[in-house]
Structures are given as structure tokens and as C-alpha cells.
Amino acid sequence: MFNTHNEGDSPVFTPDQVLENRGRVAIFIDGSNLFYAALQLGIEIDYTKLLCRLTAGSRLLRSFFYTGVDRTNEKQQGFLLWMRRNGYRVISKDLVQLPDGSKKANLDVEIAVDMMALVGSYDTAILVSGDGDLAYAVDAVSYRGVRVEVVSLRSMTSDSLINVADRYIDLDSIKEDIMKTPRQPGYTYRPLSGIGLIEEPAED
């Protein structure tokens, strides 16, 4: 039930009222950043629960998931296919091998471009990343009238990103809502080809 706002009441919205007024929501998830945050928290993400928690009853325009891919990794391809069939628009880029032997794909530009290109189609952007390189994009869409929520692990989040967001949510505070239950079967996300994606064995 919605609270009515009477003259003389405090003009400050409660957190619940803020969520009620989010309008159309677009979600932008930095897959690699989220994976490492989950690793720090010692949890595995349940992506169905994550989508429900982030949307929180608002009208969802689209949920984007950005990730580097190794096209020879069949289990990773299986995970991304599952994501596409379960409410996510997957934006991928081939991993590039760095001089130190590690592999990486930076999708900051793709996230920033999509956030800007869709302005006018959504009212609230939910950015799941702690990358300070995205602060300029967040600031830019804010000036276009978009409300921006940043969701990430505090220890992995740039102050510059928090400073330009309208709301910041520490992943640690919602981990119980988005984690897989113990021994829950399904795909586990791994962003680097050397680690790969593992499918948890089904219980006997």
C-alpha cells in the first residue's frame, strides 16, 4: 500500500517510496566485475534472483550483461545461452591475451554507449559495476534526466562512481537475496578462459 503525502509531512522520501518511483528500469551488468565481487563475498550469484532483486517490482526495459568470451569454451557458451533465455541481453567481446599471459576484455565503452543510446527509453539505470571509468557516463545520463543506482562491492568501488550516483547499494547488504543456495545445480560464471565455466554436478 502506498503512503499518502500530506502537507506538513517531511518531504524526504523513504527508501520504499524511492523504489516505487523508479519508473522504467534498465540494468547494466559488468559481468567480470560482478564475478570478482562475488568471489570476494564467497558466494555464487543466482542470476534469476539477481534480476528479481534489482528490478524490485519496477517495469524492466532490458537487462544487459557484458562479458568477455572465449568462443572455444563450450561451457561458457552454455552459460551465456542460459542467460539469453532467462531475461538477459548478453553483450560479448572476444578476450584478448595480454603480454603477461592473462586474458581480458574491457567492455566499459559498450556499457557507456548503451546507457547513452537508450536515454529516453528508461527512467532509472541500475549499473552493476564499481569501475570508476564509468563515472563520466553516469554523470552524462544523469544530466539527461536519468536516475542512476550503482550496485557493487564497496571495497571494489571507485569513490568517483558513488559520488555521481543517485543511490549506492553495497552487494554485501543484498548477498543473501542474490546468492545460490548450497549445492544448487546450474552454471557458474567464470570470466577468464583459463578458469572456464563449470557445471555443478547434479545430486544423486
Side-chain angles (χ1 to χ4, degrees):
M1 181 179 288
F2 294 97
N3 292 326
T4 56
H5 181 72
N6 298 319
E7 191 173 348
D9 289 348
S10 168
V12 178
F13 287 110
T14 66
D16 287 342
Q17 287 172 320
V18 169
L19 290 177
E20 287 167 5
N21 288 282
R22 294 159 100 203
R24 295 163 298 174
V25 169
I27 300 171
F28 304 88
I29 300 173
D30 180 339
S32 181
N33 195 279
L34 178 59
F35 166 76
Y36 285 113
L39 206 61
Q40 291 287 322
L41 290 171
I43 66 170
E44 286 184 18
I45 302 291
D46 180 319
Y47 287 92
T48 301
K49 289 182 181 178
L50 177 68
L51 194 56
C52 290
R53 179 63 178 78
L54 295 179
T55 306
S58 300
R59 286 179 295 156
L60 178 65
L61 171 71
R62 190 158 290 152
S63 180
F64 295 94
F65 184 82
Y66 301 83
T67 182
V69 296
D70 177 354
R71 299 193 185 279
T72 65
N73 187 326
E74 291 184 9
K75 288 184 177 177
Q76 186 185 46
Q77 296 302 313
F79 166 77
L80 297 179
L81 179 61
W82 183 92
M83 292 287 280
R84 290 185 180 100
R85 291 177 175 176
N86 286 272
Y88 291 90
R89 176 68 60 89
V90 176
I91 310 297
S92 61
K93 181 188 282 188
D94 288 342
L95 291 164
V96 176
Q97 185 149 348
L98 303 176
D100 64 1
S102 64
K103 292 185 177 181
K104 187 177 181 182
N106 191 322
L107 284 100
D108 290 350
V109 171
E110 285 79 358
I111 295 173
V113 167
D114 287 346
M115 287 182 76
M116 287 299 300
L118 287 169
V119 166
S121 298
Y122 65 93
D123 303 297
T124 299
I126 303 173
L127 174 63
V128 183
S129 179
D131 193 338
D133 290 342
L134 292 167
Y136 190 81
V138 168
D139 208 28
V141 298
S142 295
Y143 276 108
R144 299 283 298 277
V146 172
R147 185 174 173 281
V148 183
E149 300 177 11
V150 169
V151 182
S152 56
L153 188 61
R154 184 61 187 92
S155 62
M156 295 175 55
T157 307
S158 166
D159 286 342
S160 62
L161 192 57
I162 294 175
N163 292 342
V164 294
D166 295 289
R167 185 178 186 223
Y168 171 73
I169 300 169
D170 188 341
L171 274 172
D172 189 38
S173 70
I174 63 169
K175 67 180 181 181
E176 302 294 332
D177 298 333
I178 62 172
M179 64 187 288
K180 282 186 179 180
T181 53
R183 301 191 65 78
Q184 180 178 333
Y187 285 107
T188 300
Y189 177 65
R190 297 286 187 269
L192 304 178
S193 62
I195 303 173
L197 276 148
I198 58 171
E199 188 172 5
E200 296 172 5
E203 297 217 44
D204 295 327

